[in-house]
Amino acid sequence: MNLKPQSPDGQQFFRHYLTIEKHLLLFLDNETVPPTNHSSEQALRWSVVFRKVTHGFCSDWGAELFAQVRSLVNTARRQSISAFQAISHALASHQSNWLLS
């Protein structure tokens, strides 16, 4: 990196690069760090397909609920918990709030 960028965008990118340089190839030294964000992309894939098939959501409420449920299910799957158990536990923890309303 002996060359210094001349444009303002190039200079900004170069400054950013210098701040993250030691982390860019971390996966080569630490085998627990994956070399890609493939797992994150896989987690989003179902939501993207659903959005394309349904042409989006009719309300912000529906979109937010869908995002929360998908997040809950994906997190549970990573922890070897079934979707049913995760949703049941989440609803049970809020049941007392429903009874008071």
Side-chain angles (χ1 to χ4, degrees), residues 35-97:
T36 68
N37 65 346
H38 187 63
S39 61
S40 299
E41 291 175 0
Q42 283 180 326
L44 290 173
R45 181 73 183 138
W46 201 93
S47 298
V48 171
V49 169
F50 184 84
R51 187 188 70 224
K52 286 181 179 181
V53 169
T54 62
H55 302 291
F57 294 92
C58 295
S59 66
D60 291 338
W61 177 85
E64 186 173 324
L65 177 64
F66 179 81
Q68 289 173 351
V69 170
R70 286 308 315 165
S71 176
L72 177 69
V73 170
N74 287 346
T75 301
R77 181 180 299 141
R78 288 175 187 254
Q79 297 178 4
S80 300
I81 300 170
S82 74
F84 179 77
Q85 286 176 318
I87 293 170
S88 296
H89 182 71
L91 293 176
S93 66
H94 292 289
Q95 188 175 20
S96 60
N97 293 341

Side-chain angles (χ1 to χ4, degrees), residues 3-51:
L3 299 176
K4 302 288 185 214
Q6 300 302 314
S7 70
D9 288 340
Q11 292 171 358
Q12 181 181 3
F13 179 76
F14 184 70
R15 283 191 302 273
H16 178 66
Y17 168 78
L18 292 176
T19 62
I20 64 169
E21 179 181 21
K22 62 184 173 198
H23 302 289
L24 276 177
L25 301 176
L26 182 62
F27 68 93
L28 295 174
D29 296 327
N30 185 344
E31 62 186 37
T32 63
V33 177
T36 68
N37 65 346
H38 187 63
S39 61
S40 299
E41 291 175 0
Q42 283 180 326
L44 290 173
R45 181 73 183 138
W46 201 93
S47 298
V48 171
V49 169
F50 184 84
R51 187 188 70 224

